Amino acid sequence: MEFKISKDFIAQIEQYIEENREEQLQALLEDIHYADIAEIMEELDSGEASYLFHILDSEKTAEILLELDEEVREKILKNLSPKEIAEELDELSTDDAADIIAELPEGKKGEVISELIDAEHAKDIVDLLRYDENSAGGLMGKELVKVNENWNVLTCVKEMRAQAENVQRVHSIYVVDDDNKLKGRLSLKDLLTTSTKTNISDIYIPKVDYVKVTTPDVEVARIMQKYDLEAIPVVDELGRLVGRITIDDIVDVIKDEADKDYQLAAGISQDVEADDSILDLTKARLPWLVLALLGGFISVRLLNSFDAAMENHKELFFFTPLIAAMAGNVGVQSSAIIVQGLANNSISGSLWNRLIKEVSLSLLNGAILAVILILGSHFLLNKSYDLGITVSVSLISVIVIASLIGTFVPILLNKFGIDPALATGPFITTSNDICGILIYFSIAKMLLGF
Amino acid sequence: MEFKISKDFIAQIEQYIEENREEQLQALLEDIHYADIAEIMEELDSGEASYLFHILDSEKTAEILLELDEEVREKILKNLSPKEIAEELDELSTDDAADIIAELPEGKKGEVISELIDAEHAKDIVDLLRYDENSAGGLMGKELVKVNENWNVLTCVKEMRAQAENVQRVHSIYVVDDDNKLKGRLSLKDLLTTSTKTNISDIYIPKVDYVKVTTPDVEVARIMQKYDLEAIPVVDELGRLVGRITIDDIVDVIKDEADKDYQLAAGISQDVEADDSILDLTKARLPWLVLALLGGFISVRLLNSFDAAMENHKELFFFTPLIAAMAGNVGVQSSAIIVQGLANNSISGSLWNRLIKEVSLSLLNGAILAVILILGSHFLLNKSYDLGITVSVSLISVIVIASLIGTFVPILLNKFGIDPALATGPFITTSNDICGILIYFSIAKMLLGF
């Protein structure tokens, strides 16, 4: 049931554009969903995309604009006049329109706003631009259905019919008092199943979940998920109903947050995509690589300081990458589990219990790996048991320390209000590499003496 | 506005339970949301939780059951008779009830189903149990509002009132023909704003997105996100409307998928949480660690084979952890970007273009890092320029190869229908460690000769 974009289809469109066959293009794209047209445009060059944009009607182009990649959108908006942009925004809901205006260059913002036709819509959009984009205020839209507690069901349905004209999807119906303060909600179901003469004040549900305009977006997402909400009202400092957030906006927040944690764990410091420019990709990738390189310098220095071992125990050096790799992997596992736990609010129990658990866990893992290592180093690598045992003792110690670092650094960062996801990926592998090598050679020195 | 569980509150509840003060407990928990009570129960031992479960009314306990961690739920269900479980399930929507039955031990399933009171509900649940849990059939619920294309708006509203009694949230209204085949949809807005005498066949929207019962859940999630849907109807092989999936179920699919990719990237092979048992955590963590250890054996062998370098170029060995770490980090970055791109369907262009882009990118990153390395190894580590240049040339080569492996292994896996996320984390770091060390010493051997 989903439309699949084929190469032939793109080629066909490119040909029509070249030949300026406007009507054929309109017919071809008539029945295609705006999300699919956005994908088609991303395959075209910016001149072709702008051409398409001009020949489609603005109800469709407004939605297409919203679906486009930020980069492609920027290019197309550059080719449009403030008046043309305003025409698109008039078709969009307030929150989407505000998001697009926020992306415009400073000078153009005012021009576009002054060209908006619907004064009420313009006022709502300007109002939304005040809020931080990562807060409930930045997520919310102004379109909602609200009724006064002093009405009855009949008035309510009549008023709602009028309000619904401007609202794409009716979620809950919010109940306010004469000062626009949020009092409760009315379920659609109640409205469908109650007599028309009933007073709203008799049937509304006074218990309603809400967030403040300043609540952070991830917090809004957590609350909506936890309480299974499809929409949540947003109130200002005085408790007045100023907007609503719907679950589809939250899906994006959840996806972005998961992507961000994933990218941090992979050592990518900015939100990039495979199709971004080489420069953008370098900017996102280089910082953590430089950090890892500097960490590498420390490991070179450390190994240098143990070079006395080269004399009689040169084979110890063959095992350093193995030890470093195990330290890194164990650290990443521990930190990932904690970071996810912190994100899901599912870490319970005292730090002391966590310490005991993590140590037991690493002793168990370490012991199993140590047995494999002793056997493997003897039978597969033909090393002496002495060496195997030395490396194994180090391996167990390294695993314990690495898992403790992996567990407690994120917890500490979180305590100080820093994103614990920072302590995953290159940060944890680099610091664990260094600790691992230090522990390994210190233990080897004690056991073998050099 | 969110309820915060305090230690004092838990202590209070535990005390009341011990003293058997049923009424006080009911009063205390009266106004607390079921999602919060579920969190409270997770802090209690299973005897205390079961006690609470028995004194709360079944409308609330059914929802609590749904919110509990799978482990806690299993313990509580063990203490309930089939009849008691059936009473809970009678309160739940069909998809949630089916999910809980699916978790029960084989023998108990039939007993519980035979105790369900509402025959229609029981039939729907049994029907849902047939589907794979990772397909649209496994996600969907049976509760929906549907109208016949031959009705008018008045009949439609009347029928909907009846249907809405059983449906918690009204999303779209689906239109079917006499054979129950999906014909289209009716928006709530249209229904609120159209005259009551209009025929449904005149106002319904014939274009409706739908999925089949066999569509995989991640595909459903992608489609609903792309087309911004809050609910999607599900049809069987014959095009008959059999259920609907709502966006809140999709939020869980998106979250689970992101968590799974994150865990794979961190070398965790099963879905675990920080609070799981040590045995579960070990089972999830050990497999990739064993793989990394075996990879480590290969690196030991490799270094062994280059031991002639120990004679005159022992310092080369000090740099192996640095080279291995860089190879690992670069590989993880590349694979993460590709895996995310594949997941979001945003990888465009030919493999050849991707190859050229990845090589240019790594040459750029590599050149910058090589300069830092040459300067650092001379001024910070007091190494000769000869050594610095040798290591730098190797570093650039290693970065290019590592990024190519990181990019193309996931693409290849994806081509063969294997989850590309498998090629992240320990897999990519281990294979890149080995390649990195091989390339490094081979180049060093060529340049320095040993």
Side-chain angles (χ1 to χ4, degrees):
Chain A
M1 57 131 285
E2 195 199 0
F3 174 77
K4 290 275 175 217
I5 299 170
S6 67
K7 276 188 187 162
D8 290 346
F9 192 80
I10 298 285
Q12 171 91 83
I13 287 181
E14 285 179 325
Q15 201 195 329
Y16 281 170
I17 293 176
E18 205 183 328
E19 296 168 4
N20 224 330
R21 289 161 75 172
E22 207 169 297
E23 274 169 39
Q24 278 90 337
L25 278 169
Q26 282 164 339
L28 198 61
L29 297 173
E30 168 99 61
D31 280 335
I32 295 179
H33 192 281
Y34 54 79
D36 292 313
I37 299 185
E39 282 190 7
I40 292 170
M41 284 195 181
E42 283 163 11
E43 298 288 319
L44 302 175
D45 68 40
S46 81
E48 292 169 334
S50 295
Y51 179 88
L52 275 194
F53 208 80
H54 277 107
I55 65 162
L56 296 171
D57 67 21
S58 70
E59 203 172 315
K60 209 160 194 176
T61 49
E63 296 290 345
I64 294 172
L65 205 54
L66 216 53
E67 294 290 325
L68 287 173
D69 254 9
E70 205 177 316
E71 272 177 65
V72 183
R73 180 163 53 232
E74 197 188 317
K75 281 183 197 150
I76 288 183
L77 289 179
K78 225 177 242 171
N79 294 332
L80 297 181
S81 69
K83 193 172 154 61
E84 282 172 318
I85 297 177
E87 275 166 18
E88 303 295 336
L89 300 186
D90 272 323
E91 299 285 340
L92 291 177
S93 63
T94 48
D95 48 342
D96 294 332
D99 288 346
I100 288 185
I101 290 185
E103 282 176 20
L104 291 174
E106 259 341 292
K108 214 167 180 177
K109 282 182 190 171
E111 294 179 58
V112 170
I113 292 170
S114 67
E115 295 282 357
L116 288 167
I117 293 165
D118 181 342
E120 185 69 18
H121 197 229
K123 197 186 124 297
D124 283 345
I125 294 172
V126 171
D127 188 40
L128 289 180
L129 286 172
R130 290 190 296 134
Y131 301 106
D132 175 9
E133 62 167 330
N134 298 318
S135 71
L139 273 182
M140 72 183 183
K142 288 289 191 173
E143 291 82 359
L144 49 80
V145 176
K146 65 179 177 188
V147 298
N148 193 301
E149 56 173 342
N150 301 318
W151 297 347
N152 66 18
V153 170
L154 191 69
T155 325
C156 181
V157 170
K158 223 183 287 170
E159 289 283 341
M160 272 177 58
R161 273 178 186 247
Q163 292 184 27
E165 295 273 3
N166 297 315
V167 177
Q168 225 188 344
R169 287 163 181 165
V170 180
H171 292 91
S172 286
I173 302 145
Y174 302 116
V175 180
V176 294
D177 66 11
D178 291 335
D179 292 332
N180 195 29
K181 281 198 183 148
L182 180 68
K183 301 290 286 185
R185 65 189 163 86
L186 205 60
S187 77
L188 264 175
K189 187 178 149 182
D190 288 341
L191 207 73
L192 281 170
T193 54
T194 316
S195 130
T196 50
K197 283 166 208 155
T198 322
N199 276 327
I200 297 300
S201 52
D202 292 333
I203 55 165
Y204 84 78
I205 307 154
K207 217 173 133 50
V208 59
D209 294 303
Y210 62 88
V211 289
K212 295 194 184 139
V213 282
T214 49
T215 308
D217 57 358
V218 288
E219 187 64 17
V220 177
R222 213 177 54 67
I223 291 173
M224 288 185 74
Q225 264 189 287
K226 179 172 171 187
Y227 295 127
D228 261 333
L229 307 173
E230 298 211 336
I232 197 165
V234 184
V235 301
D236 67 7
E237 299 73 15
L238 298 173
R240 291 176 304 193
L241 179 62
V242 289
R244 59 92 191 99
I245 295 170
T246 51
I247 183 103
D248 53 315
D249 297 319
I250 289 308
V251 169
D252 296 338
V253 172
I254 292 169
K255 191 93 187 32
D256 287 351
E257 194 62 13
D259 282 357
K260 201 201 69 198
D261 279 2
Y262 185 75
Q263 296 194 322
L264 276 175
I268 301 165
S269 57
Q270 287 175 29
D271 188 18
V272 284
E273 281 177 26
D275 285 351
D276 285 353
S277 71
I278 291 183
L279 201 70
D280 281 343
L281 284 165
T282 301
K283 268 195 265 176
R285 294 173 63 159
L286 203 53
W288 283 113
L289 292 181
V290 170
L291 183 97
L293 185 63
L294 298 180
F297 286 169
I298 301 179
S299 66
V300 174
R301 259 199 181 278
L302 268 178
L303 288 172
N304 215 2
S305 72
F306 285 107
D307 79 340
M310 279 281 178
E311 203 80 17
N312 296 314
H313 304 287
K314 63 175 188 180
E315 296 194 313
L316 284 175
F317 287 88
F318 302 160
F319 282 89
T320 39
L322 184 151
I323 293 282
M326 296 307 286
N329 282 320
V330 167
V332 168
Q333 286 183 335
S334 302
S335 64
I337 290 177
I338 287 296
V339 166
Q340 273 199 334
L342 291 169
N344 298 333
N345 239 352
S346 68
I347 305 276
S348 59
S350 67
L351 284 185
W352 182 244
N353 286 337
R354 184 135 315 267
L355 181 79
I356 291 176
K357 184 169 184 179
E358 200 61 29
V359 170
S360 329
L361 179 69
S362 3
L363 284 175
L364 179 60
N365 277 332
I368 297 172
L369 294 168
V371 171
I372 301 177
L373 178 65
I374 293 178
L375 297 175
S377 83
H378 187 72
F379 293 107
L380 295 176
L381 307 170
N382 304 313
K383 305 291 175 199
S384 70
Y385 275 121
D386 268 11
L387 182 68
I389 289 168
T390 304
V391 178
S392 293
V393 171
S394 309
L395 183 68
I396 296 176
S397 322
V398 163
I399 286 177
V400 172
I401 301 294
S403 76
L404 290 179
I405 295 177
T407 302
F408 287 97
V409 173
I411 291 180
L412 261 178
L413 287 186
N414 194 53
K415 277 248 158 79
F416 289 107
I418 303 169
D419 184 353
L422 266 179
T424 51
F427 177 85
I428 218 78
T429 46
T430 304
S431 52
N432 279 359
D433 273 10
I434 297 169
C435 287
I437 292 171
L438 179 63
I439 294 167
Y440 169 46
F441 274 93
S442 305
I443 289 178
K445 194 170 182 175
M446 277 195 302
L447 292 182
L448 301 174
F450 49 82
Chain B
M1 58 131 281
E2 194 197 358
F3 174 78
K4 291 274 174 215
I5 300 169
S6 67
K7 274 188 187 164
D8 289 348
F9 192 81
I10 298 285
Q12 170 92 79
I13 286 181
E14 284 178 325
Q15 201 194 331
Y16 281 170
I17 293 175
E18 204 183 330
E19 295 167 3
N20 224 331
R21 290 161 75 172
E22 208 168 297
E23 273 168 41
Q24 277 91 338
L25 276 169
Q26 282 163 340
L28 199 60
L29 296 173
E30 168 100 60
D31 279 335
I32 295 179
H33 193 280
Y34 54 79
D36 292 313
I37 300 185
E39 281 188 9
I40 292 169
M41 283 195 181
E42 282 163 12
E43 299 287 318
L44 304 174
D45 68 41
S46 80
E48 292 169 333
S50 295
Y51 178 88
L52 274 195
F53 208 82
H54 276 106
I55 66 161
L56 295 171
D57 67 22
S58 68
E59 202 173 317
K60 209 162 193 173
T61 49
E63 296 290 346
I64 294 172
L65 205 54
L66 217 52
E67 294 289 326
L68 287 173
D69 254 8
E70 204 177 319
E71 272 178 64
V72 183
R73 179 163 56 231
E74 195 188 318
K75 280 183 197 150
I76 288 182
L77 289 178
K78 223 177 242 169
N79 293 332
L80 298 180
S81 71
K83 195 172 153 62
E84 284 172 316
I85 296 177
E87 277 166 18
E88 303 294 337
L89 299 187
D90 273 322
E91 300 286 340
L92 290 177
S93 62
T94 49
D95 49 340
D96 293 332
D99 288 345
I100 288 185
I101 290 185
E103 282 177 19
L104 292 174
E106 256 346 287
K108 215 168 182 178
K109 283 182 190 171
E111 293 179 58
V112 170
I113 292 169
S114 66
E115 294 282 357
L116 288 167
I117 294 166
D118 182 341
E120 186 69 20
H121 198 230
K123 198 187 122 298
D124 284 345
I125 293 172
V126 171
D127 188 40
L128 289 179
L129 286 172
R130 290 189 296 134
Y131 300 106
D132 175 9
E133 63 168 326
N134 299 318
S135 71
L139 274 181
M140 71 182 184
K142 288 288 192 175
E143 293 82 0
L144 50 82
V145 176
K146 65 179 175 190
V147 297
N148 193 301
E149 56 174 341
N150 302 316
W151 297 347
N152 66 17
V153 170
L154 192 70
T155 324
C156 180
V157 170
K158 223 183 286 169
E159 288 283 338
M160 274 177 57
R161 274 176 186 247
Q163 293 183 27
E165 296 273 4
N166 297 314
V167 177
Q168 227 186 342
R169 285 164 182 163
V170 180
H171 292 91
S172 286
I173 302 145
Y174 302 116
V175 180
V176 294
D177 66 10
D178 291 334
D179 291 331
N180 196 28
K181 282 196 181 148
L182 181 66
K183 302 290 286 185
R185 66 189 163 84
L186 206 60
S187 78
L188 265 175
K189 187 179 149 184
D190 288 341
L191 207 73
L192 280 170
T193 54
T194 316
S195 129
T196 50
K197 284 166 209 156
T198 322
N199 275 327
I200 297 300
S201 51
D202 293 333
I203 55 165
Y204 83 79
I205 306 154
K207 218 172 134 50
V208 59
D209 294 303
Y210 62 87
V211 290
K212 297 198 182 133
V213 282
T214 49
T215 308
D217 57 359
V218 287
E219 186 64 18
V220 178
R222 214 178 51 68
I223 290 173
M224 289 185 73
Q225 263 188 289
K226 178 172 171 186
Y227 296 126
D228 260 333
L229 307 172
E230 298 211 335
I232 196 165
V234 184
V235 301
D236 67 7
E237 298 72 15
L238 297 174
R240 291 176 305 195
L241 179 62
V242 290
R244 59 92 193 97
I245 296 169
T246 51
I247 184 101
D248 54 315
D249 297 320
I250 291 307
V251 169
D252 295 338
V253 172
I254 292 169
K255 191 96 186 30
D256 287 352
E257 195 62 13
D259 282 357
K260 202 201 67 196
D261 280 1
Y262 185 74
Q263 296 193 322
L264 276 175
I268 300 164
S269 57
Q270 287 175 31
D271 187 20
V272 284
E273 282 176 26
D275 284 352
D276 285 353
S277 72
I278 290 182
L279 201 68
D280 281 341
L281 284 165
T282 301
K283 268 195 266 175
R285 293 173 63 159
L286 203 54
W288 282 115
L289 292 180
V290 170
L291 183 96
L293 185 64
L294 297 180
F297 286 170
I298 300 179
S299 66
V300 174
R301 258 200 182 277
L302 268 179
L303 288 172
N304 215 0
S305 71
F306 286 106
D307 80 339
M310 280 281 177
E311 204 80 16
N312 297 313
H313 304 285
K314 63 176 186 178
E315 295 194 313
L316 284 175
F317 287 88
F318 301 160
F319 282 89
T320 40
L322 182 152
I323 293 283
M326 296 306 287
N329 281 321
V330 167
V332 168
Q333 287 182 335
S334 303
S335 65
I337 289 177
I338 287 296
V339 166
Q340 273 198 335
L342 290 170
N344 298 334
N345 239 352
S346 68
I347 303 278
S348 60
S350 68
L351 284 185
W352 183 246
N353 286 338
R354 184 135 316 269
L355 181 79
I356 291 176
K357 183 168 185 180
E358 200 63 30
V359 171
S360 330
L361 180 70
S362 3
L363 284 176
L364 179 61
N365 276 333
I368 297 171
L369 294 167
V371 171
I372 301 177
L373 179 65
I374 292 177
L375 297 175
S377 82
H378 186 74
F379 292 108
L380 296 174
L381 308 169
N382 304 314
K383 303 294 176 199
S384 70
Y385 274 122
D386 268 10
L387 183 67
I389 289 168
T390 304
V391 178
S392 293
V393 171
S394 309
L395 182 69
I396 296 177
S397 322
V398 163
I399 287 178
V400 172
I401 302 293
S403 76
L404 289 180
I405 295 177
T407 302
F408 287 97
V409 173
I411 291 181
L412 260 179
L413 287 186
N414 194 53
K415 276 250 158 79
F416 288 108
I418 304 168
D419 185 352
L422 266 178
T424 50
F427 177 85
I428 218 78
T429 45
T430 303
S431 51
N432 279 359
D433 273 9
I434 296 169
C435 288
I437 291 171
L438 180 63
I439 293 167
Y440 168 47
F441 274 94
S442 305
I443 288 178
K445 196 169 178 176
M446 277 196 301
L447 293 182
L448 302 174
F450 49 81

